[in-house]
């Protein structure tokens, strides 16, 4: 069976070595040696001033919303994974959808200002498939209207925009290190924030608000990464260059062997060093997508309809229409893309399409 993605498993001896350190330390969580080491290594690797490791990629979005959006309206994209929208609802904020750009698939920055009201507190946008939003324009709008900017950068491990880690844009960025993501800790995630004061607030918020054992800065939740998760991260990290190289080769293959006269590919924003995280293709119609999906499934190849449905159609939001997002969501599918995907399978996939 060929899935859309396959989790990278580091050699088990690497993992045993990391886990042995946990046994030697007799320390499982609450910022042990491995979590601190993973933080240090990721800061260097990514070029970010601060990182808070978390137990998944959803809690950092919720923490950022809790701290910055405070129950207000949040302008957001309808084209993302469901966690972007569900986090807004879970934090008792109100999602206000703004449609997407038909080629970059990120929030359409030209439509943001029309959606701002006196209740708007923040913009929560997704750099979908690792493709940067128009960060300069969003920054300008946010400054003009005194709004906070949170980026769901779940797909953005290793992405650079204008030579700078994409995690360094916005007031807060978040990432997911879920097993299906490009760099993973099994389950896991991270918060990125350049402002020291805000970073401090986010940090204590992820650990019950603790200021030492008996004092509290404020309210918090438990979003701490454990040593067991960090052990996986430290085992995967040395292989990231190999993983990215292998993914690039597959993306190059698709780019070379698919016929784009009747198929649209993702347009990567200019000046982006991309991470080859997903390979979405947009068909002429949903009917054609379903036909290709069926044919591939018959060969035990399982692409996925990322992202479908458009999030403005969820049954727990105000269902305003978002024509571009709904149209794209109905016609887009991600093709298999992972380190050990074999060339003969790639030929089968491109031939079927
Ligand atoms: C994976 C993902 C999340 C959630 O991350 P988890 O680590 O699974 O909690 C949030 N947003 C987007 C866009 C994602 O793809």
């Amino acid at each position: 069976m060929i899935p859309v993605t396959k989790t990278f498993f580091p050699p088990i001896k690497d993992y045993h070595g990391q886990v042995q350190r946990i046994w030697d330390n007799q320390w499982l969580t609450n910022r042990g040696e491995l979590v601190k080491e993973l933080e240090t290594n990721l800061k260097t690797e990514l070029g970010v001033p601060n990182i808070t490791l978390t137990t998944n990629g959803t809690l950092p979005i919720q923490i950022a919303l809790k701290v910055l959006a405070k129950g207000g309206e949040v302008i957001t994209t309808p084209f993302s994974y469901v966690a972007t929208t569900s986090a807004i609802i879970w934090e008792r904020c109100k999602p206000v959808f703004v449609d997407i750009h038909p080629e970059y698939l990120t929030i359409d920055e030209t439509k943001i200002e029309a959606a701002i009201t006196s209740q708007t507190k923040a913009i929560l946008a997704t750099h979908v498939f690792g493709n940067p939003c128009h960060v300069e324009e969003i920054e300008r709008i946010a400054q003009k209207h005194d709004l906070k900017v949170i980026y769901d950068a779940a797909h953005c491990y290793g992405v650079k925009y204008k030579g700078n880690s994409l995690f360094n844009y916005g007031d807060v960025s978040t990432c997911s290190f879920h097993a299906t993501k490009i760099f993973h800790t099994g389950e896991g995630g991270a918060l990125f924030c350049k402002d020291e004061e805000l970073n401090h607030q986010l940090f204590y918020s992820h650990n019950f608000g603790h200021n030492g054992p008996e004092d509290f800065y404020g309210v918090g939740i438990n979003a701490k990464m454990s040593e067991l998760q960090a052990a996986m991260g430290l085992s995967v990290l040395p292989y990231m260059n190999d993983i990215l190289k292998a993914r690039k080769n597959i993306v190059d293959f698709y780019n070379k062997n698919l016929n784009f006269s009747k198929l649209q590919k993702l347009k990567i924003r200019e000046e982006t060093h991309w991470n080859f995280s997903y390979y979405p293709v947009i068909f002429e119609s949903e009917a054609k997508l379903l036909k290709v999906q069926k044919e591939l499934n018959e060969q035990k190849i399982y692409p996925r309809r990322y992202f479908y449905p458009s999030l403005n159609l969820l049954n727990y939001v105000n269902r305003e229409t978002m024509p571009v997002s709904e149209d794209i969501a109905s016609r887009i599918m991600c093709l298999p893309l992972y380190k050990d995907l074999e060339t003969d399978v790639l030929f089968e996939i491109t031939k079927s399409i």
Side-chain angles (χ1 to χ4, degrees), residues 56-58 61 80-81 83-84 126 152 154-155 176-178 181 187-188 278 307:
N56 61 49
T58 303
I61 303 174
S80 182
Y81 181 58
T84 316
T126 301
D152 180 344
H155 306 158
S176 167
F177 302 151
H178 185 259
K181 302 301 203 287
E187 291 271 3
Y278 294 86
F307 288 98

Side-chain angles (χ1 to χ4, degrees), residues 114-324:
I116 296 173
T117 74
S118 61
Q119 303 302 306
T120 310
K121 291 280 195 295
I123 299 167
L124 170 58
T126 301
H127 302 302
V128 72
F129 305 130
N131 198 23
C133 297
H134 194 321
V135 290
E136 292 93 351
E137 183 58 12
I138 291 172
E139 173 71 27
R140 190 193 66 77
I141 294 166
Q143 293 220 335
K144 183 172 158 196
H145 297 273
D146 195 22
L147 306 177
K148 300 295 181 185
V149 179
I150 304 163
Y151 285 117
D152 180 344
H155 306 158
C156 301
Y157 183 93
V159 177
K160 288 196 167 152
Y161 177 67
K162 297 194 171 167
N164 192 358
S165 170
L166 194 49
F167 297 136
N168 285 330
Y169 293 88
D171 292 288
V172 180
S173 273
T174 66
C175 193
S176 167
F177 302 151
H178 185 259
T180 56
K181 302 301 203 287
I182 204 161
F183 167 75
H184 78 89
T185 57
E187 291 271 3
L191 262 168
F192 302 90
C193 176
K194 298 186 302 278
D195 181 84
E196 294 301 331
E197 207 174 312
L198 177 58
N199 188 56
H200 171 67
Q201 193 179 359
L202 295 166
F203 180 82
Y204 74 66
S205 300
H206 105 297
N207 182 27
F208 301 105
H210 268 292
N211 174 21
E214 293 171 7
D215 191 24
F216 297 89
Y217 290 110
V219 68
I221 195 164
N222 180 7
K224 301 185 304 292
M225 179 177 279
S226 79
E227 291 290 272
L228 291 162
Q229 292 171 287
M232 179 59 87
L234 289 168
S235 306
V236 172
L237 196 55
Y239 296 92
M240 284 312 294
N241 282 342
D242 297 344
I243 291 170
L244 290 167
K245 215 180 286 170
R247 298 180 78 100
K248 179 179 188 307
N249 288 338
I250 294 164
V251 166
D252 287 346
F253 181 95
Y254 281 137
N255 283 341
K256 192 159 156 260
N257 290 283
L258 286 170
N259 175 356
F260 293 100
S261 64
K262 294 187 172 179
L263 208 58
Q264 181 190 334
K265 68 176 152 185
L266 177 64
K267 183 174 176 187
I268 304 291
R269 197 173 294 279
E270 299 72 14
E271 297 188 71
T272 301
H273 175 82
W274 191 46
N275 63 357
F276 316 101
S277 47
Y278 294 86
Y279 200 91
V281 284
I282 303 168
F283 292 84
E284 286 179 308
S285 66
E286 185 171 25
K288 288 195 176 164
L289 177 150
L290 292 171
K291 190 162 167 244
V292 170
Q293 186 182 33
K294 184 163 171 282
E295 187 166 324
L296 289 172
N297 289 355
E298 279 162 9
Q299 300 168 79
K300 302 251 182 310
I301 297 167
Y302 297 94
R304 282 285 294 270
R305 295 186 71 180
Y306 292 151
F307 288 98
Y308 178 86
S310 184
L311 297 171
N312 56 302
L313 301 179
L314 289 166
N315 64 12
Y316 52 79
V317 301
N318 285 341
R319 296 172 154 218
E320 284 165 84
T321 59
M322 292 285 133
V324 181

